[in-house]
Amino acid sequence: MMIDGVEPIVAALGGLAAPAPAGLTGKVFTGWLAAPSRLGEVFVAFTGDGVQFVRPAESVHGDADAFAEAYRDRFGRPLRPADRAPAGLLPALRGRPAPSLRLDLRRLPDFERDVLGATRRIPAGQTRPYGWIAREAGRPRAVRAVGSVLARNPVPLLVPCHRVVRADGRLGDYMFGPAHKEELLRAENVDLDQVAAFAQQGVHYLGSDTTGVVCFPTCHNARRISPAHRHGFRTIGIAVAAGYRPCRHCRPGVEAASA
DNA sequence: ACTTTGACAGGGA
DNA sequence: GTCCCTGCCAAAG
Protein backbone atom coordinates (compact mmCIF):
# COMPACT_ATOMS: atom_id res chain seq x y z
CA MET A 1 0.00 0.00 0.00
CA MET A 2 2.21 2.82 -1.20
CA ILE A 3 -0.80 5.08 -0.85
CA ASP A 4 -0.08 5.31 2.85
CA GLY A 5 3.02 7.31 2.14
CA VAL A 6 1.43 9.49 -0.49
CA GLU A 7 -1.40 11.03 1.50
CA PRO A 8 0.80 13.04 3.94
CA ILE A 9 2.91 14.31 1.08
CA VAL A 10 -0.10 15.38 -0.87
CA ALA A 11 -1.54 17.02 2.24
CA ALA A 12 1.72 18.90 2.73
CA LEU A 13 1.59 20.16 -0.82
CA GLY A 14 -1.72 21.76 0.02
CA GLY A 15 0.05 23.93 2.58
CA LEU A 16 2.62 25.37 0.18
CA ALA A 17 2.24 28.94 -0.92
CA ALA A 18 2.77 28.05 -4.56
CA PRO A 19 -0.31 26.60 -6.21
CA ALA A 20 -0.17 22.85 -6.67
CA PRO A 21 -0.12 21.49 -10.20
CA ALA A 22 -3.62 21.39 -11.62
CA GLY A 23 -3.64 17.62 -11.78
CA LEU A 24 -3.14 17.39 -8.03
CA THR A 25 -5.94 19.71 -7.05
CA GLY A 26 -8.52 16.96 -7.05
CA LYS A 27 -6.35 14.88 -4.77
CA VAL A 28 -5.71 17.60 -2.22
CA PHE A 29 -9.06 19.28 -2.07
CA THR A 30 -12.46 18.00 -2.86
CA GLY A 31 -14.53 20.08 -5.21
CA TRP A 32 -18.20 20.69 -4.79
CA LEU A 33 -21.01 22.19 -6.79
CA ALA A 34 -24.78 22.31 -6.94
CA ALA A 35 -26.69 20.64 -9.73
CA PRO A 36 -30.26 19.73 -10.67
CA SER A 37 -31.41 16.16 -10.12
CA ARG A 38 -34.45 13.94 -9.84
CA LEU A 39 -34.52 14.87 -6.14
CA GLY A 40 -34.36 18.58 -6.83
CA GLU A 41 -31.16 20.54 -6.43
CA VAL A 42 -28.33 18.47 -5.00
CA PHE A 43 -24.88 19.30 -3.65
CA VAL A 44 -22.16 17.06 -5.03
CA ALA A 45 -18.58 16.54 -3.78
CA PHE A 46 -15.92 14.90 -5.93
CA THR A 47 -12.21 14.30 -6.22
CA GLY A 48 -10.15 13.64 -9.32
CA ASP A 49 -11.05 10.00 -8.87
CA GLY A 50 -14.77 10.43 -8.97
CA VAL A 51 -17.88 11.50 -7.11
CA GLN A 52 -17.81 10.93 -3.37
CA PHE A 53 -20.88 12.48 -1.83
CA VAL A 54 -24.32 13.60 -2.95
CA ARG A 55 -27.05 15.18 -0.84
CA PRO A 56 -30.24 16.97 -1.82
CA ALA A 57 -30.10 20.64 -0.92
CA GLU A 58 -33.37 20.06 0.88
CA SER A 59 -31.75 17.52 3.20
CA VAL A 60 -29.31 20.16 4.46
CA HIS A 61 -31.88 22.95 4.45
CA GLY A 62 -30.40 24.44 1.30
CA ASP A 63 -27.27 25.30 3.25
CA ALA A 64 -24.02 24.63 1.37
CA ASP A 65 -22.05 25.09 4.60
CA ALA A 66 -24.05 22.37 6.25
CA PHE A 67 -23.28 20.15 3.27
CA ALA A 68 -19.57 20.89 3.60
CA GLU A 69 -19.73 20.11 7.30
CA ALA A 70 -21.51 16.81 6.66
CA TYR A 71 -18.86 15.98 4.10
CA ARG A 72 -16.07 16.84 6.48
CA ASP A 73 -17.58 14.80 9.29
CA ARG A 74 -17.57 11.81 7.06
CA PHE A 75 -14.48 12.18 4.91
CA GLY A 76 -12.29 14.40 7.06
CA ARG A 77 -11.41 16.80 4.29
CA PRO A 78 -12.37 20.35 3.36
CA LEU A 79 -14.39 21.32 0.30
CA ARG A 80 -13.75 24.04 -2.19
CA PRO A 81 -16.02 25.19 -5.00
CA ALA A 82 -15.45 23.55 -8.37
CA ASP A 83 -15.91 25.21 -11.70
CA ARG A 84 -17.11 22.28 -13.70
CA ALA A 85 -18.80 18.94 -13.14
CA PRO A 86 -17.07 15.60 -13.65
CA ALA A 87 -17.90 13.70 -16.84
CA GLY A 88 -21.31 12.13 -16.79
CA LEU A 89 -22.49 13.68 -13.54
CA LEU A 90 -25.24 15.90 -14.89
CA PRO A 91 -26.92 13.25 -17.06
CA ALA A 92 -26.61 10.67 -14.26
CA LEU A 93 -28.36 13.00 -11.81
CA ARG A 94 -31.19 13.30 -14.31
CA GLY A 95 -31.49 9.54 -14.50
CA ARG A 96 -29.92 9.18 -17.93
CA PRO A 97 -27.26 6.58 -18.68
CA ALA A 98 -23.77 7.95 -18.08
CA PRO A 99 -21.06 5.35 -18.62
CA SER A 100 -18.33 7.95 -18.21
CA LEU A 101 -19.35 8.76 -14.65
CA ARG A 102 -16.79 7.69 -12.09
CA LEU A 103 -17.43 7.19 -8.39
CA ASP A 104 -14.74 7.46 -5.74
CA LEU A 105 -15.64 4.77 -3.24
CA ARG A 106 -12.09 3.73 -2.39
CA ARG A 107 -12.05 4.65 1.25
CA LEU A 108 -15.19 2.76 2.14
CA PRO A 109 -15.01 -0.57 4.00
CA ASP A 110 -15.07 -3.64 1.74
CA PHE A 111 -18.59 -4.63 2.62
CA GLU A 112 -19.94 -1.15 1.87
CA ARG A 113 -18.13 -1.03 -1.45
CA ASP A 114 -19.48 -4.43 -2.41
CA VAL A 115 -23.02 -3.49 -1.42
CA LEU A 116 -22.89 -0.24 -3.37
CA GLY A 117 -21.30 -2.02 -6.32
CA ALA A 118 -24.08 -4.61 -6.45
CA THR A 119 -26.69 -1.90 -6.10
CA ARG A 120 -25.19 0.02 -8.96
CA ARG A 121 -25.73 -2.99 -11.25
CA ILE A 122 -29.50 -2.92 -10.87
CA PRO A 123 -30.81 -1.67 -14.21
CA ALA A 124 -33.05 1.36 -14.33
CA GLY A 125 -36.68 0.38 -14.15
CA GLN A 126 -36.00 -2.74 -12.10
CA THR A 127 -35.81 -3.60 -8.41
CA ARG A 128 -34.03 -6.20 -6.30
CA PRO A 129 -34.57 -7.30 -2.70
CA TYR A 130 -32.14 -6.55 0.12
CA GLY A 131 -31.33 -10.25 0.31
CA TRP A 132 -30.26 -10.22 -3.33
CA ILE A 133 -27.75 -7.46 -2.62
CA ALA A 134 -26.45 -9.41 0.36
CA ARG A 135 -25.89 -12.45 -1.82
CA GLU A 136 -24.27 -10.48 -4.63
CA ALA A 137 -22.00 -8.86 -2.06
CA GLY A 138 -20.91 -12.30 -0.90
CA ARG A 139 -22.64 -12.23 2.52
CA PRO A 140 -25.99 -13.90 1.90
CA ARG A 141 -27.14 -13.55 5.50
CA ALA A 142 -26.06 -9.95 6.02
CA VAL A 143 -29.44 -8.80 4.81
CA ARG A 144 -29.99 -6.29 7.53
CA ALA A 145 -26.49 -4.93 7.29
CA VAL A 146 -27.27 -4.15 3.66
CA GLY A 147 -30.07 -1.89 4.84
CA SER A 148 -27.68 -0.17 7.22
CA VAL A 149 -25.24 0.50 4.41
CA LEU A 150 -27.86 1.82 2.02
CA ALA A 151 -29.27 4.10 4.71
CA ARG A 152 -25.91 5.86 4.57
CA ASN A 153 -25.40 5.66 0.80
CA PRO A 154 -22.88 8.44 0.12
CA VAL A 155 -24.03 8.82 -3.46
CA PRO A 156 -27.81 8.40 -3.74
CA LEU A 157 -29.19 8.49 -7.30
CA LEU A 158 -25.76 7.62 -8.67
CA VAL A 159 -25.84 4.35 -6.74
CA PRO A 160 -29.57 3.69 -7.10
CA CYS A 161 -30.42 2.47 -3.62
CA HIS A 162 -34.04 3.39 -4.34
CA ARG A 163 -34.15 0.23 -6.49
CA VAL A 164 -33.58 -2.02 -3.47
CA VAL A 165 -36.88 -3.16 -2.01
CA ARG A 166 -38.23 -5.61 0.52
CA ALA A 167 -38.63 -9.27 -0.35
CA ASP A 168 -42.31 -9.17 0.59
CA GLY A 169 -43.12 -6.71 -2.19
CA ARG A 170 -43.25 -3.58 -0.08
CA LEU A 171 -40.85 -0.81 -0.95
CA GLY A 172 -39.12 -0.53 2.39
CA ASP A 173 -37.55 2.61 3.76
CA TYR A 174 -35.51 5.28 2.02
CA MET A 175 -33.00 7.77 3.34
CA PHE A 176 -35.06 10.70 2.12
CA GLY A 177 -38.44 9.12 2.84
CA PRO A 178 -40.44 6.33 1.20
CA ALA A 179 -42.45 8.79 -0.87
CA HIS A 180 -39.32 9.79 -2.79
CA LYS A 181 -38.46 6.14 -3.31
CA GLU A 182 -41.83 5.48 -4.86
CA GLU A 183 -41.60 8.60 -6.96
CA LEU A 184 -38.20 7.64 -8.34
CA LEU A 185 -39.33 4.11 -9.18
CA ARG A 186 -42.50 5.27 -10.90
CA ALA A 187 -40.48 7.76 -12.90
CA GLU A 188 -38.39 4.80 -14.09
CA ASN A 189 -41.55 3.05 -15.20
CA VAL A 190 -41.54 0.33 -12.55
CA ASP A 191 -45.06 -1.07 -12.43
CA LEU A 192 -45.48 -0.79 -8.69
CA ASP A 193 -49.20 -1.46 -8.89
CA GLN A 194 -48.61 -4.79 -10.58
CA VAL A 195 -45.89 -5.70 -8.10
CA ALA A 196 -48.25 -4.89 -5.24
CA ALA A 197 -51.06 -6.89 -6.83
CA PHE A 198 -48.88 -9.95 -7.19
CA ALA A 199 -47.48 -9.57 -3.69
CA GLN A 200 -51.03 -9.43 -2.41
CA GLN A 201 -51.44 -12.99 -3.70
CA GLY A 202 -48.10 -14.07 -2.27
CA VAL A 203 -46.44 -13.99 -5.68
CA HIS A 204 -42.87 -12.70 -5.72
CA TYR A 205 -41.49 -14.41 -8.84
CA LEU A 206 -42.79 -14.86 -12.35
CA GLY A 207 -42.00 -17.72 -14.71
CA SER A 208 -42.71 -18.40 -18.35
CA ASP A 209 -43.89 -21.90 -19.25
CA THR A 210 -42.52 -21.47 -22.76
CA THR A 211 -38.95 -20.68 -21.72
CA GLY A 212 -38.95 -22.37 -18.31
CA VAL A 213 -37.24 -19.32 -16.84
CA VAL A 214 -38.25 -17.65 -13.59
CA CYS A 215 -37.53 -13.98 -12.80
CA PHE A 216 -38.12 -11.17 -10.38
CA PRO A 217 -41.33 -9.46 -11.53
CA THR A 218 -39.52 -6.27 -12.54
CA CYS A 219 -36.93 -8.06 -14.70
CA HIS A 220 -37.23 -6.99 -18.30
CA ASN A 221 -37.59 -10.65 -19.25
CA ALA A 222 -40.49 -11.09 -16.84
CA ARG A 223 -42.29 -8.11 -18.26
CA ARG A 224 -42.39 -9.74 -21.68
CA ILE A 225 -44.12 -12.91 -20.50
CA SER A 226 -47.62 -12.97 -21.90
CA PRO A 227 -50.29 -13.49 -19.23
CA ALA A 228 -51.30 -16.79 -20.82
CA HIS A 229 -47.86 -18.27 -20.22
CA ARG A 230 -47.14 -16.52 -16.96
CA HIS A 231 -46.95 -18.39 -13.69
CA GLY A 232 -46.50 -16.81 -10.29
CA PHE A 233 -44.45 -18.33 -7.50
CA ARG A 234 -44.17 -17.55 -3.84
CA THR A 235 -40.54 -18.67 -3.57
CA ILE A 236 -37.84 -19.42 -6.06
CA GLY A 237 -37.53 -22.90 -4.54
CA ILE A 238 -41.07 -23.73 -5.57
CA ALA A 239 -40.37 -22.55 -9.09
CA VAL A 240 -37.21 -24.61 -9.34
CA ALA A 241 -39.04 -27.66 -8.01
CA ALA A 242 -41.56 -27.09 -10.80
CA GLY A 243 -38.75 -27.26 -13.34
CA TYR A 244 -37.99 -23.58 -13.80
CA ARG A 245 -34.49 -22.18 -14.04
CA PRO A 246 -33.50 -18.84 -12.45
CA CYS A 247 -33.13 -16.08 -15.02
CA ARG A 248 -29.51 -15.36 -15.87
CA HIS A 249 -30.27 -11.68 -16.11
CA CYS A 250 -32.00 -10.91 -12.81
CA ARG A 251 -30.50 -13.91 -10.97
CA PRO A 252 -33.18 -14.65 -8.41
CA GLY A 253 -31.28 -16.72 -5.87
CA VAL A 254 -32.27 -20.08 -4.55
CA GLU A 255 -32.96 -19.51 -0.88
CA ALA A 256 -31.51 -21.76 1.77
CA ALA A 257 -33.34 -25.06 1.79
CA SER A 258 -35.61 -25.29 4.81
CA ALA A 259 -34.25 -28.20 6.80
C1' DA B 1 -51.73 -8.52 10.68
C1' DC B 2 -48.68 -8.24 14.25
C1' DT B 3 -44.83 -9.71 17.12
C1' DT B 4 -40.57 -12.17 17.86
C1' DT B 5 -36.34 -14.02 16.76
C1' DG B 6 -32.39 -14.42 13.78
C1' DA B 7 -28.32 -12.35 11.75
C1' DC B 8 -24.52 -9.06 11.05
C1' DA B 9 -21.39 -5.02 9.76
C1' DG B 10 -20.09 -0.60 11.56
C1' DG B 11 -19.59 2.79 14.89
C1' DG B 12 -19.27 4.42 19.43
C1' DA B 13 -18.29 3.65 24.44
C1' DG C 1 -9.05 -4.25 21.57
C1' DT C 2 -14.02 -5.77 23.11
C1' DC C 3 -18.59 -5.18 24.23
C1' DC C 4 -22.85 -3.14 23.11
C1' DC C 5 -26.26 -1.30 20.25
C1' DT C 6 -28.52 -0.03 16.42
C1' DG C 7 -30.80 -0.57 11.93
C1' DC C 8 -34.03 1.29 4.34
C1' DC C 9 -34.52 -6.74 6.53
C1' DA C 10 -36.55 -11.64 6.53
C1' DA C 11 -38.86 -15.69 7.99
C1' DA C 12 -41.06 -17.84 11.51
C1' DG C 13 -44.54 -17.77 15.30
Side-chain angles (χ1 to χ4, degrees), chain A residues 122-135:
Chain A
I122 306 173
Q126 300 187 36
T127 61
R128 298 287 183 275
Y130 289 89
W132 183 91
I133 301 288
R135 182 164 53 77

Side-chain angles (χ1 to χ4, degrees), chain A residues 38 125-127 162-165 171 180-192:
Chain A
R38 289 191 285 166
Q126 300 187 36
T127 61
H162 59 279
R163 294 179 195 145
V164 184
V165 299
L171 291 190
H180 284 304
K181 192 172 191 173
E182 175 167 351
E183 181 186 338
L184 288 168
L185 290 175
R186 287 195 189 279
E188 294 180 7
N189 240 356
V190 178
D191 192 344
L192 293 182

Side-chain angles (χ1 to χ4, degrees), chain A residues 19-27:
Chain A
L24 273 180
T25 304
K27 298 192 188 300

